[in-house]
Structures are given as structure tokens and as C-alpha cells.
Amino acid sequence: MFDNVWLIPLFPLIGFLINGLFGKKIKNETVIGGIGAFAVLCSFVVSCMTILRLLSLPIEERLAEVKVFTWITSGNFNADIAFLVDPLSCVMIMVVTGVGFLIHLYSIGYMHGEEGFYRFFAYLNLFMFSMLLLVLGNNLLLMFVGWEGVGLCSYLLIGYYFHKKSAGDAGKKAFVMNRVGDFGFLLGGFALFWYLGASHNVWTIQFTEIAKNSHLLPTGGIVTVITLCFFLGATGKSAQIPLYTWLPDAMEGPTPVSALIHAATMVTAGVYMIARMNFLFIRSPETLMVVAVIGACTALFAATIGTAQYDIKRVLAYSTVSQLGYMFLAMGAGAFAAGIFHLMTHAFFKACLFLGSGAVIHSMHEALHHAHSHDDPQDMRNMGGLKSKMPLTFMTFLLATIAIAGIPGFSGFFSKDEILWQAFSNQHHGSLNYLLWGMGAIAAGLTAFYMFRLVFMTFYGESRITPKAKDHLHESPMIIVFPLLVLAALSVIGGYIGMPKIIGDALGGIPNYFEHYLEPVFRYSEEYLSQHSQHTALHPSHAVEWGLMGLSVLIALAGITVAFTMYVKNRELPSRFTATFPALHRAVYNKWYIDELYDFAIVNPVKAAGRFLWKGFDVVIVDGAVNGVANIVMAFAGVIRYLQSGFIYNYAWTMAFGVVVILGYYLFK
Amino acid sequence: MSYILSLTTFLPILGVLLLLLIPRESKSLLRSLALGVTIITFLVSLPIMTGFETNADFQFVENVPWIAAGPFVMRYYLGVDGISLWLVMLTTFIMPIAVLSTWTAVEEKVKEYMICLLLLETGMLGAFLALDLFLFYIFWEVMLIPMYFIIGIWGGKNKIYAAVKFFVYTMAGSVLMLVALIYLYFRGLEAGFTSFSLMQFYSLNLDPQTQTWLFLAFALVFCIKVPMFPLHTWLPDAHTEAPTAGSVILAAILLKMGTYGFVRFAVPIFPDAAYRFTPLIATLAVIGIIYAALVAMVQEDVKKLVAYSSVAHLGFVMLGIFAFNQQGITGGMLQMLNHGISTGALFLIVGFIYERRHTRLITDFGGLSKQMPVFAVIFMIVTLSSIGLPGTNGFVGEFLVLLGAFESELRWYTVIATSGVILSAVYMLWMFQRVMFGELDNPKNQTLKDLNPREIAIMLPLVIMIFFMGVYPNPVIEKMDPAVKKLVSQVKRSNPTAEAPSAMQGLPEGHPVVVAPAASSGNSVIPAGATNTDEAR
């Protein structure tokens, strides 16, 4: 049925091998970039065929597993290289290969002339391969392979400009923080495998098998432990509190990387993982609460930092952290479909924003270069007035910004509003729901503010670079603009496949296609809930729902208005604000000093411990003892020591013979 | 009777005899001959692998009386099973690489050097293949002496200190083992045994107290060799001072003698005691993992860093073995092989840059990626394998070890050990970053040459193995599986409680599920009883 699904990850792997092994010899950028992009295009085509075939099946048959070979077998443990095709994995492969292909195209233009062009495309293809393994793997271990693989590619691509120390540091930080998450992922996997095996004799790591046997699992207890471990993994990969600090630093990588890995695909892996194991998470009210609270806090916290950054990519990075927070809020509310929906729309508009910012940086870089200026091309304080210079980039950027800000009619509105509504009305968290909604709504206001602040600072007003440089600002070539146009279009219309029910009803009964499509994936959770719901679901009236929706739109509009006032109409306001609240501004600008806190509380103590153990314990205590004994022996055997220098050979053999002699004595006595 | 094991074991000795005939001035001939001998040994050993049948028995057995001592006969008794098979293959595989690694670095006393390497190979192969305790002991000693010379004669600045330290540590262990062996001999006589055959001693039912003492004696010997914390301090010095080939062999094979000793001797002969001392061993293993990682992190010398990483990796092996279940021991065995490949490769890499710059200090490097792109790729692959990234060999072993240990009673140890995966990424990547990334600002590094064909030829087989074992480890696992099963049953037989599911112990209990009345509406897919968590326990 889906026999060719293994081709989907295979194409990028082949692309990686060709560019990785021979790219240096090929040299021709068009060929290298062409191979890279074509490999992903092939995957995209196969993905389209796969999802079409899936849609042609009746709903209850939309599940298939394709085994390639047995990977590890040991005792009752078995892991295959096998792929899982279901509605969830199909959404993911469509997003990954679709957005991935556009970003590959864009990269051909963006990376033009860079040293190590082939290296870039090799890594990018390797990333696609790993990401596709992650979403297609039918078992925990294969997912983990992809999980680590994308982490590796992220590391390699963040450190792409490896001669820069900051890039190397950022790459390492990303990898290590992800490893902290992996620690949780591994433990969660161990605990799940062991629990199901030891107490129910179900030894499996296959998602479908675990799902089928999920009725054996209790509510809470061990499941809470397992799911919290997995969630730790998700916080690492998806940059949530407390492991989010690597993502802003990851902006050291080339911009297409930020768009692909650190916005659209990899960082959503944590969300995907929770959706994939929804039947576990739904069984632990405690974990759901933790997920929801962490999600809401991250959404709000990161949004605050985003308001005070000047680096265009850093603003977008914090925005990503914040938007991921929304997705986790959805997961925590048990609204898995809504979370995945936001994952998809976010992939469209955030990829568009990052690629747009890349186009801006590219243009700024060239302009500054021509003017022999050393100003930072990423600093928004040097930008301004780009609207007329880069009209297409501006248009697409604006559309994506409207989408993320949550203005009705755009994709971001539908997905974000669905999440806020679910946060408010879900049956899991009681009165905590109001707080969750409130945090989400405030974050939405902040999002609108910092995004429009970005737009106004970058595209509006007067250019703030020298006139000489200004003349060199220009629109990007077609290969860069084309992906922007496609992504902008998707940011606008992408939301209509998943319209919230209340809007669909008002428009004459348009169903939420997306939610229905994903229903089979969350079947076991639904069954569980229908039998175990302990809290009565809140059923607020339609009036409330409309009211909340209106309120969130108003908050967003307020955010835009403030941004407009501060950055277009009355431009000395920001400086007056920082002058009035210097401490607050400094704290926000410095990201609330969280990095410094981690250094102080974790990094430095660990290093100090290492140093102490080495110099203190290893060298002084253990070696001291050993050398002490050795010295005594040597002093005692001073004479032998002199003999030894010439006759080591004899001495050693004497030892060996000594053994024989002693043994012989006992044998023959 | 097939003689393939003897042939493999003593081919290097044959090479020694040939080397003796060659004048010491013709260095290149000496080198080529030694290389030829190790390659032939590898080729000769291949049929052991291909002809090995997947069962738990010892195969290619050679068993002849050797030294008769009254009723008791020392036997020349060799055989290979799934546990020793891969270690033998690892040995013959690594040796040509080791010989090639110091092709140009060793110019002094080439003849003696090559003789030492070949003697060492015979010693190691013999120790892995011997099934007679006395024979094992002989090979064990044979193996130590050349290593001592390799460190002491061809080593670095502090070679004498390192060599003596190595000798003191290992000899202290050997003497203990000898005492234990002699005691075992008497117990064997009492039991009416006629030889030192390992099989017989497996069936020797010793009282708990005797087991305890004997186990401790053997364990101490093997712990030194592994090395286990806190007996590890000889290792960083030995590694740092040894020439590249010495470090490679030491890391790849000699350390495995310790873990192999546990699997082959200490655990199956004294299963009760092994079981009883599990908490102690596991504690030391876990301390080793964390401790060595922390110490590795702050090393200034690349080679010392790699040496400490060895201690951490071997900690995983020990944890796996003492999980006493299928996954744990299989993982431990795989980890031994993987560590041999990855850490061997790391020492080779350190050797490459040492030969070029005559320094190993991390701060002397930086930005080498620009100057040495091929080296950078290989170094990166090996680093990732050492970190245990999925897709490379390091992952499979580490994962099975942790999985096995988690299923056993060592659950909480596993939780701590798993944090080792974070630390290994920290120290390896940090080192890699400081050596390879950044600006190429040291003028001495700006003229470095990338790897030459010989060096690439050395690394290529290792890189291939890194991926093969990572992607398709099952052929290796399958061959060791029956032997591992047998070992598990040996421990289990004497400790029926060892594998009893101790489920839920120490973990939070699930709260009983309140089944909502609405749920009993008939069309439930979930069997009603199954939601009862009492049944779960």
C-alpha cells in the first residue's frame, strides 16, 4: 500500500552523500544546490502521493507500517527500521518536505558565493533525512535516531561559520541543552518499555503497539513519571522553559537554517512527539498541567524578551520560542489537533518571516559592504525605509506578520484562537484555565507589538544607513523572492482548512477539516476521556466564545497600535521609555539574565567540580597513595632498583618464572 | 580438530622469529614485515568469524594435556564462543592499524618495537581464547610485559613514571590473581577435578564466604585493568606517555581484558558473590561514568581527555554486565567493541596532530578545520561515535546497557548513568570546538598538512566500522546472543531472585482509576478489568 514510503527519507540521504562526498569536487553551485533541492522535491512528490493515497482510504484504515529491516534485537527488545504512515505523520512530512523544498530553493540564492556551499547543502539534506526519520519512525528508538540526527545537523549548521567563536559556542550550547532533553527522552523510553514489559508482558517500543495496549496503563503514577521524562525531552528540542536559551543563540547559523530548523521543523519535534504519544499524556492530568503551564509561561516570557531586542533574527527567535509555547499550551489542554494545526500554520508564516529577514539582511549586508561600513546588518537600528527598496519582501513580510499577530482571516488567527479557546474551555485544569487563557492572550498582544515593532523599524520611516550604502539596497533575485511569495500565500490561506467550529458554523456549516482528518490519531485518547472524565467539561456559551475571540483580537490590535505609536508616529517614545525605566529595559534587553544565571548556578560549578576532582582527588589522594606505596617499596628495594635499570628484561621474566616456580612448589610438594 | 585458533594466536610469534633474522638497520623492511604479519593474522582469523556457528558452545576447541602434575593436568585448552569471538576479531583487526600508526613516529629500536607489538598480540589473543585457568594466567602475564616496555622505552617525557605506575598497578593485581588461582587449584583437587578447565570450575559450588574472598581477589585484578574508579589513575599516565600504537592497543584491547575477565571468570565462577557485590560494582561504575566525565572536561591535554573518557565508557560496560540480563550484557559486550573502535580511533587522531605539532595541549590548537578538512570530517565522525550519537556504533551499545540496567535492579543507578550522555557531549564537543573551530590564529598551525594516504588508510576501516555497527549491528548481536543467554542463566540459576520482576519498587504508585459511571455504556473498547491498576501490579 505505502511500499514506497521509505523513499521519502532516502532521497535526501542520497543528496547528502553526493554533496558530502563529491560536493567539493563538483564546485558548480547550480549543480550542488540543484541536487540538494531536487532530492527534497522528490521527497515532496512522494509525500504528496502518500497523503493522497491515505486520504483515499476510509478513515479507520488510515494507518500503515512499512518495515525495511530489523535493526537491533536483544532478548525481548526489538527495534526495526520501519515507517509509520498515518494522518499525523503525513501532515508532518508534507510540512517538512514542502517548506523544506522552498527553503532549499531560497538557499541556492542566499548562500551564493559562500565558502563551503557544498557543505551547507550536504548538512541541509542530512537534516531533511533525520527529520523525516523522526516523523516517520514507527518506534521510539527510530524517532530518537531522527531526534538526535536533527540535533546534530542543528549543531553543524549553527556552527557553519565555525571560524567565529560565537558560532561554535552557540552550536555546542544547542547540542548540550538538547542532550539534557535527550536524557529525559531516554529515561522515559526505558521506563515505558520496562513498565509495560515487566508488569503486563508487553515488550514493545512500537507506537501502534503501545497505543493498543495503552489501556493497561494507569492514570497518573508511573505514567506521570514517564510523560514528564518525555516532556523534558520536548523542552530541550522545542526550546521551552527551562531549556530554551539555546534557540536565540542558534541564530548564529545562516538564515535559511534558522527558517528551516529553528522555526518550521526541528523545533516542533517536541510538539509532534507529544501528539504522537497523546494516549500517554492524556493519562496524566499532572503532566498535562505541567505542559500547559510551561507552555503558557514560555509563550509569555519569551514574548517579553522579544519586545526589547534589536537584532532582527533574535526577535524572530524569541517569537518562535513564544509560538512553540502556544503549541505546548494546546498539548497541555489536550487539544492535540489544535497544537498540530498551529505547528503547521506557524511553519508557513515563521518560515516566511525568517526568509524575509534573510532577504533584508542580505540586502543590508551588501549595501553596508559597498559603503565599507562595519555596522551590523542585522541590527534594526540600522534599517528603516526598506519598504520602497524591497517591495515584494515587504509585502510578504507584512502578510506573515499579520498572520502571526492573529488578525482575523489569516492563518495564525484560526490556529491561535483555537488554542486560546481550548486553553479556556478544556476539561483538565479547572479554574487554572482562566489563567492559561489570560497568559496566552497577553502574549498574543505582545506578539502583535514586537512583530509590528519589527516591521515598522525595518521597513518604515527613513533609512538609517549612510546615503551611499542606501543606494545599494535592492530587491532580492527571484529564487529568493519566489519562496517568500508561496509562503506568504500559505500564511494567508493556510488557516481555512482548520476553521474553529464556531466560525465554521456561523459561515454555514464549514467543518474543521483538519481536526477531522487527525481524529484517528487521537482515537485512544478520546476513548480514554470518554470513560474517565473526572471533571465535567466546561461548556461556556457561544457568547463567551465570541466574546473571548473579540477580546483577543482587540488585544492584538492594541499591540499593533502601541507599536505604531512608538515606532512610526512618535519615535522618541521608546527612548523616553528606556530613560524612565532603565532597570526594566536593561533586564529585558539582557533576556532577564537567564544565561548568566545558568552560568552561575550550573556551568561554573560543574567546571569547578571537574577541576577539584582532578587536581584534588585524582592527583593528590589516589596517586598520592599509589606513589607513596611505590616510594616505600622502592626505598626498601633500593639495591634492586639499581640492578633493575640494566636488567628489566630479566626482572620481568623472573616474575613470570616466579609464578611457575611457586605453582610448581605446590604441585610437587 | 581444527588448529585455526592456535594458528591465529601464534602467527605473530612466527613473525617475531622472522623479525629476529632481519638486521636492525633495515627499518622499512622490519615495518613492512610486522605489518604483513598482522594483516595475515587478521586474514587467518576471518574464518573464525565466518565459520562460527550461532550457538552457545565453545568452538574450534583445541584441548591437549600440557603439564602433568599428578592427578592434575594443566591443559593447552583453547576455544571461542560468542563472547570471545568479537574480542578476538577486534584484536586482529586493530593490530595492523596499530602497526601502521607509528610507521614514522618510532625511529628508535624499530626491531624491538615491532617484536613487542607482535608478542603483545599473541598474549592478548591467547588470553581471550584460553579456557584453562593456568593457560589464561600465562597469557595474561605475557601480555603485560611488552606493554610495559612499549610505554617505558618508546614513550614520552614521563615514560618511566608511567611505566612503573602501570607495572605496579597490574603486578599488584597479578599477584592477587595468582594467590586466588592457587587456592582454586586446591578446591579443584578436593572436588576431584583433573584440570584447570574453566568448564569444570563453572560447576564448582563454593560456599558463600569462599566465593566472596575469591571474587574480591579476581574483581580487584580486573577492576584495575578495566579500570574502575578509584583504581584508574594509572590509565591517564600510561595513555599519555605511550606511543600512539601503545595507546591504541591499550584502549582498544587491553582494557577489555578487565571486562572480559568479569564476563568469563569472575561472574560465572562466583555467581553468588558477583550478585552480592553488584551494588558495590554498580556504584563504582556510575561514579566512574560521572567522575571521569567531569575530570575529562577540564583536561588541558587532548590525550588525557580521551583517556578519562575511556574510564567513563568502561563504566557503562561494567554497568551493563552487572545488570545480569540479556540487554545489559549484550550492550556491555557491544560497548567493549565500540569503545575499542572509537577510542582507538581517537588516540590515532591525537597521534596525527601530535606528530605534526609535537604538542597535545588543547590551547595550542584552534581552527584546524580550515587547514585540515579531511581530518576534520574524520575527527567529527569519531567524536560523534564516542558521544554515542544514533547511527554510529557508540549508540547501540550504550543504549542497550542503559536499557538492560534499567530493567534490572540497577534502575536508580541507570538514571544517574544516563546523565553521562549529557556530560560526554559536553567534554567531547568542547574539546572538538577548541581544537578544530575558531580562528586559525597560531602561526604554527597555519602550515599543517592534511592527512596523507597512509593516515586515511588507517582511519577508513575504523570509520566504516563506526557506521556499520551503528546501522546494522544485528549480525554481531546474533552471534553473541546464545553465549550471553548462557551467561545470564548461569547467574540466574544460582540466584533465582536475580531476575524476578521487582516491578514498581520505589516508583510512585498510580492512583486507582475512578471509572465514571457513564463509561459502562457497553460499547467500551477497553476491557473493564484492565483499567484496574491492582492487576497492573
Side-chain angles (χ1 to χ4, degrees):
Chain A
M1 201 62 204
F2 294 100
D3 286 345
N4 56 6
V5 67
W6 55 275
L7 287 172
I8 298 175
L10 184 71
F11 286 122
L13 180 64
I14 294 172
F16 161 68
L17 290 177
I18 295 175
N19 276 335
L21 294 175
F22 311 111
K24 206 173 182 192
K25 298 220 172 64
I26 298 175
K27 285 205 179 84
N28 185 329
E29 285 190 2
T30 321
V31 176
I32 293 171
I35 291 170
F38 183 70
V40 181
L41 180 65
C42 292
S43 294
F44 179 64
V45 172
V46 181
S47 302
C48 289
M49 285 157 54
T50 308
I51 195 170
L52 287 176
R53 198 168 304 158
L54 188 84
L55 288 171
S56 72
L57 293 171
I59 289 177
E60 61 278 10
E61 286 173 29
R62 288 178 184 174
L63 179 79
E65 290 179 84
V66 182
K67 181 179 163 180
V68 184
F69 66 91
T70 302
W71 182 28
I72 303 176
T73 324
S74 176
N76 43 30
F77 176 82
N78 178 63
D80 292 334
I81 304 290
F83 301 119
L84 172 64
V85 181
D86 76 343
L88 180 58
S89 62
C90 279
V91 178
M92 294 303 291
I93 54 175
M94 288 301 290
V95 171
V96 171
T97 57
V99 175
F101 170 64
L102 291 172
I103 292 173
H104 273 72
L105 271 190
Y106 176 97
S107 304
I108 297 176
Y110 188 86
M111 297 304 287
H112 169 68
E114 288 280 353
E115 199 184 342
F117 187 84
Y118 75 95
R119 193 159 54 90
F120 181 81
F121 275 89
Y123 292 165
L124 222 50
N125 270 193
L126 182 63
F127 169 77
M128 294 301 287
F129 166 71
S130 311
M131 189 70 205
L132 290 165
L133 273 191
L134 193 163
V135 297
L136 280 171
N138 90 328
N139 61 59
L140 272 171
L141 201 62
L142 196 53
M143 181 192 248
F144 189 69
V145 174
W147 188 267
E148 291 273 271
V150 292
L152 166 69
C153 298
S154 165
Y155 167 76
L156 292 170
L157 283 163
I158 295 169
Y160 179 74
Y161 301 113
F162 58 78
H163 53 270
K164 277 168 70 186
K165 182 172 184 314
S166 54
D169 284 343
K172 191 191 69 187
K173 184 172 175 182
F175 198 94
V176 170
M177 285 208 140
N178 270 292
R179 274 262 157 163
V180 176
D182 297 345
F183 164 74
F185 193 120
L186 279 174
L187 285 183
F190 294 150
L192 179 60
F193 177 74
W194 159 74
Y195 175 80
L196 271 178
S199 35
H200 300 288
N201 209 25
V202 179
W203 301 96
T204 182
I205 53 164
Q206 234 169 296
F207 294 125
T208 47
E209 292 297 314
I210 301 170
K212 265 182 223 153
N213 291 296
S214 58
H215 59 84
L216 299 171
L217 294 165
T219 293
I222 181 79
V223 177
T224 300
V225 175
I226 293 170
T227 46
L228 281 178
C229 284
F230 279 124
F231 181 58
L232 178 64
T235 57
K237 189 88 358 190
S238 297
Q240 296 295 292
I241 292 173
L243 298 177
Y244 70 95
T245 59
W246 65 269
L247 186 60
D249 287 12
M251 298 301 126
E252 289 288 341
T255 308
V257 171
S258 313
L260 177 63
I261 301 184
H262 305 121
T265 55
M266 182 189 87
V267 288
T268 62
V271 181
Y272 167 77
M273 185 250 276
I274 293 183
R276 177 53 79 209
M277 292 194 275
N278 60 81
F279 44 83
L280 286 183
F281 282 81
I282 205 77
R283 286 188 151 70
S284 171
E286 296 87 354
T287 306
L288 282 184
M289 188 161 82
V290 171
V291 174
V293 169
I294 293 273
C297 288
T298 310
L300 185 57
F301 186 73
T304 61
I305 301 177
T307 59
Q309 300 302 312
Y310 293 112
D311 183 311
I312 186 168
K313 283 181 73 183
R314 281 198 177 246
V315 176
L316 292 176
Y318 281 105
S319 164
T320 304
V321 175
S322 168
Q323 296 295 311
L324 288 164
Y326 277 108
M327 297 176 210
F328 281 99
L329 174 58
M331 295 290 146
F336 303 112
I340 295 294
F341 186 44
H342 194 59
L343 185 161
M344 186 183 80
T345 59
H346 175 256
F348 299 149
F349 57 67
K350 189 52 68 60
C352 185
L353 290 171
F354 262 117
L355 295 185
S357 78
V360 167
I361 294 165
H362 209 248
S363 181
M364 285 290 292
H365 180 80
E366 277 185 28
L368 290 170
H369 185 72
H370 277 291
H372 304 289
S373 163
H374 291 291
D375 287 342
D376 183 355
Q378 296 187 195
D379 194 324
M380 295 191 293
R381 284 171 293 192
N382 296 331
M383 298 175 184
L386 288 172
K387 193 168 82 167
S388 55
K389 296 284 183 184
M390 309 178 73
L392 285 173
T393 307
F394 165 66
M395 275 313 295
T396 54
F397 202 94
L398 184 65
L399 290 174
T401 305
I402 297 175
I404 194 178
I407 300 301
F410 290 70
S411 62
F413 167 73
F414 295 121
S415 54
K416 192 186 286 183
D417 198 69
E418 181 70 18
I419 290 175
L420 286 177
W421 172 244
Q422 295 280 0
F424 185 82
S425 66
N426 73 74
Q427 53 172 300
H428 304 289
H429 308 308
S431 50
L432 187 64
N433 282 356
Y434 306 124
L435 184 65
L436 293 174
W437 183 89
M439 291 168 86
I442 297 171
L446 289 171
T447 307
F449 170 74
Y450 67 68
M451 281 313 300
F452 273 90
R453 168 180 176 264
L454 190 159
V455 168
F456 293 142
M457 283 184 85
T458 308
F459 293 100
Y460 282 76
E462 292 300 310
S463 175
R464 286 182 285 274
I465 49 175
T466 56
K468 190 167 159 237
K470 197 178 140 195
D471 294 338
H472 289 283
L473 290 169
H474 59 86
E475 183 59 275
S476 305
M478 208 48 213
I479 198 158
I480 287 187
V481 175
F482 172 73
L484 293 178
L485 294 172
V486 178
L487 288 167
L490 288 169
S491 313
V492 178
I493 60 168
Y496 288 92
I497 57 166
M499 264 194 285
K501 190 166 177 302
I502 186 167
I503 301 178
D505 287 348
L507 293 176
I510 303 170
N512 187 337
Y513 295 108
F514 195 78
E515 206 179 292
H516 288 305
Y517 163 76
L518 280 179
E519 256 165 20
V521 180
F522 309 122
R523 195 178 66 216
Y524 291 100
S525 292
E526 287 302 319
E527 272 167 16
Y528 171 82
L529 282 181
S530 68
Q531 296 179 19
H532 296 91
S533 49
Q534 295 169 11
H535 314 280
T536 39
L538 310 166
H539 284 297
S541 66
H542 281 324
V544 175
E545 190 170 356
W546 284 114
L548 290 175
M549 194 185 295
L551 198 54
S552 75
V553 172
L554 278 181
I555 293 174
L557 287 174
I560 298 170
T561 314
V562 173
F564 183 74
T565 317
M566 286 177 79
Y567 293 94
V568 179
K569 257 179 88 184
N570 205 345
R571 266 186 260 146
E572 73 277 16
L573 265 183
S575 46
R576 230 193 296 155
F577 180 82
T578 47
T580 322
F581 306 103
L584 178 65
H585 178 262
R586 222 179 310 127
V588 179
Y589 177 70
N590 287 307
K591 308 160 283 185
W592 301 109
Y593 298 103
I594 299 295
D595 276 316
E596 287 75 6
L597 178 71
Y598 283 179
D599 277 348
F600 174 75
I602 297 165
V603 180
N604 294 338
V606 168
K607 278 188 195 166
R611 247 173 235 121
F612 168 75
L613 291 177
W614 175 35
K615 299 275 192 194
F617 192 82
D618 241 43
V619 175
V620 177
I621 297 182
V622 183
D623 271 3
V626 175
N627 292 341
V629 173
N631 288 340
I632 292 166
V633 172
M634 281 191 180
F636 183 68
V639 183
I640 295 172
R641 192 165 151 229
Y642 286 110
L643 286 175
Q644 195 184 18
S645 63
F647 302 100
I648 298 170
Y649 227 96
N650 295 348
Y651 180 58
W653 279 113
T654 312
M655 282 297 288
F657 279 115
V659 174
V660 183
V661 171
I662 295 168
L663 203 66
Y665 168 74
Y666 281 107
L667 291 176
F668 296 107
K669 80 168 182 181
Chain B
M1 197 178 353
S2 152
Y3 295 103
I4 187 161
L5 298 185
S6 290
L7 190 63
T8 309
T9 308
F10 291 104
L11 255 179
I13 293 280
L14 207 67
V16 169
L17 296 179
L18 283 176
L19 282 178
L20 287 174
L21 302 176
I22 295 171
R24 50 193 317 118
E25 296 79 40
S26 38
K27 289 179 185 169
S28 60
L29 182 62
L30 287 163
R31 290 188 185 112
S32 310
L33 190 70
L35 178 65
V37 170
T38 50
I39 291 178
I40 292 172
T41 311
F42 174 61
L43 295 177
V44 167
S45 71
L46 283 177
I48 304 179
M49 176 177 72
T50 52
F52 185 85
E53 284 166 30
T54 308
N55 61 42
D57 298 335
F58 282 98
Q59 302 176 26
F60 305 104
V61 171
E62 298 170 36
N63 188 356
V64 289
W66 178 30
I67 306 172
F72 214 77
V73 182
M74 311 288 165
R75 302 189 76 89
Y76 177 77
Y77 187 8
L78 299 181
V80 65
D81 71 346
I83 287 171
S84 50
L85 171 69
W86 295 111
L87 291 167
V88 169
M89 295 313 297
L90 178 71
T91 308
T92 57
F93 172 76
I94 289 287
M95 282 312 290
I97 294 174
V99 171
L100 264 175
S101 72
T102 31
W103 203 252
T104 50
V106 169
E107 279 292 332
E108 301 272 305
K109 301 183 185 150
V110 177
K111 187 168 173 177
E112 289 81 353
Y113 178 70
M114 291 301 173
I115 289 176
C116 276
L117 285 183
L118 293 177
L119 275 176
L120 190 56
E121 181 168 17
T122 293
M124 296 185 300
L125 287 171
F128 283 135
L129 290 170
L131 296 181
D132 180 285
L133 283 170
F134 182 69
L135 188 65
F136 170 75
Y137 186 78
I138 300 280
F139 280 121
W140 174 275
E141 294 297 321
V142 164
M143 167 184 89
L144 298 180
I145 293 155
M147 194 66 219
Y148 169 66
F149 288 129
I150 288 173
I151 299 172
I153 297 176
W154 293 277
K157 283 188 207 99
N158 286 322
K159 56 190 178 186
I160 298 298
Y161 172 69
V164 169
K165 205 165 167 184
F166 171 80
F167 206 73
V168 167
Y169 260 106
T170 39
M171 267 304 159
S174 297
V175 171
L176 260 176
M177 180 150 77
L178 185 63
V179 174
L181 273 180
I182 292 169
Y183 186 77
L184 265 183
Y185 159 74
F186 286 116
R187 298 305 297 251
L189 267 188
E190 279 173 28
F193 291 177
T194 51
S195 76
F196 249 141
S197 148
L198 195 59
M199 295 329 111
Q200 284 196 320
F201 280 87
Y202 280 171
S203 59
L204 184 66
N205 280 321
L206 293 168
D207 59 286
Q209 207 187 349
T210 317
Q211 276 206 26
T212 301
W213 287 111
L214 287 174
F215 175 80
L216 282 179
F218 273 95
L220 197 62
V221 186
F222 297 137
C223 279
I224 289 172
K225 203 84 220 164
V226 169
M228 293 280 282
F229 174 89
L231 303 170
H232 62 279
T233 61
W234 64 270
L235 185 78
D237 285 309
H239 266 314
T240 330
E241 299 307 327
T244 301
S247 298
V248 171
I249 296 171
L250 192 58
I253 308 161
L254 275 187
L255 301 189
K256 309 303 161 350
M257 287 297 166
T259 44
Y260 174 76
F262 274 103
V263 176
R264 178 65 85 223
F265 303 98
V267 169
I269 301 183
F270 319 109
D272 292 335
Y275 187 68
R276 213 157 339 112
F277 279 99
T278 299
L280 176 68
I281 303 263
T283 306
L284 292 179
V286 169
I287 292 178
I289 292 170
I290 304 297
Y291 177 93
L294 287 174
V295 176
M297 195 165 58
V298 295
Q299 292 305 308
E300 288 135 19
D301 179 320
V302 190
K303 218 172 175 185
K304 265 208 168 129
L305 188 150
V306 177
Y308 275 106
S309 85
S310 272
V311 179
H313 280 137
L314 270 298
F316 279 106
V317 177
M318 291 302 290
L319 187 67
I321 293 172
F322 278 80
F324 295 134
N325 57 23
Q326 187 85 10
Q327 283 97 353
I329 297 178
T330 306
M333 293 299 303
L334 281 176
Q335 180 80 347
M336 285 190 215
L337 304 176
N338 295 331
H339 174 264
I341 293 165
S342 313
T343 308
L346 277 175
F347 278 120
L348 288 168
I349 281 167
V350 176
F352 294 156
I353 49 174
Y354 182 74
E355 276 183 48
R356 282 167 172 73
R357 286 277 282 105
H358 294 283
T359 172
R360 291 182 305 253
L361 286 184
I362 294 175
T363 45
D364 285 343
F365 298 104
L368 298 195
S369 285
K370 208 172 171 57
Q371 195 64 28
M372 309 170 72
V374 177
F375 176 73
V377 172
I378 293 179
F379 193 2
M380 177 55 98
I381 293 171
V382 175
T383 301
L384 294 172
S385 139
S386 173
I387 291 175
L389 195 85
T392 65
N393 58 348
F395 174 68
V396 184
E398 210 169 272
F399 175 79
L400 285 176
V401 163
L402 292 172
L403 183 74
F406 195 92
E407 282 177 61
S408 75
E409 288 163 10
L410 302 177
R411 197 156 306 121
W412 294 106
Y413 297 91
T414 318
V415 175
I416 305 170
T418 309
S419 67
V421 305
I422 305 172
L423 293 172
S424 70
V426 175
Y427 64 77
M428 286 308 291
L429 287 182
W430 194 30
M431 181 266 281
F432 189 85
Q433 184 195 351
R434 284 178 293 165
V435 172
M436 302 305 291
F437 292 164
E439 294 288 350
L440 188 62
D441 42 14
N442 189 333
K444 284 182 193 157
N445 292 331
Q446 283 163 3
T447 51
L448 286 182
K449 289 207 170 52
D450 207 346
L451 298 190
N452 61 35
R454 173 181 64 89
E455 291 166 330
I456 294 177
I458 295 174
M459 294 309 292
L460 204 58
L462 292 167
V463 170
I464 292 173
M465 286 314 292
I466 283 175
F467 288 120
F468 179 77
M469 298 274 289
V471 176
Y472 195 46
N474 237 18
V476 179
I477 297 177
E478 271 166 19
K479 292 219 166 179
M480 68 170 69
D481 230 23
V484 171
K485 268 197 191 104
K486 192 168 124 192
L487 179 64
V488 171
S489 70
Q490 275 167 337
V491 182
K492 233 201 276 190
R493 196 179 50 230
S494 67
N495 299 287
T497 55
E499 279 290 294
S502 58
M504 306 309 93
Q505 176 188 348
L507 273 172
E509 311 273 308
H511 12 95
V513 177
V514 180
V515 180
S520 52
S521 56
N523 58 354
S524 150
V525 182
I526 301 168
T531 47
N532 187 343
T533 44
D534 287 341
E535 193 185 88
R537 273 171 267 126

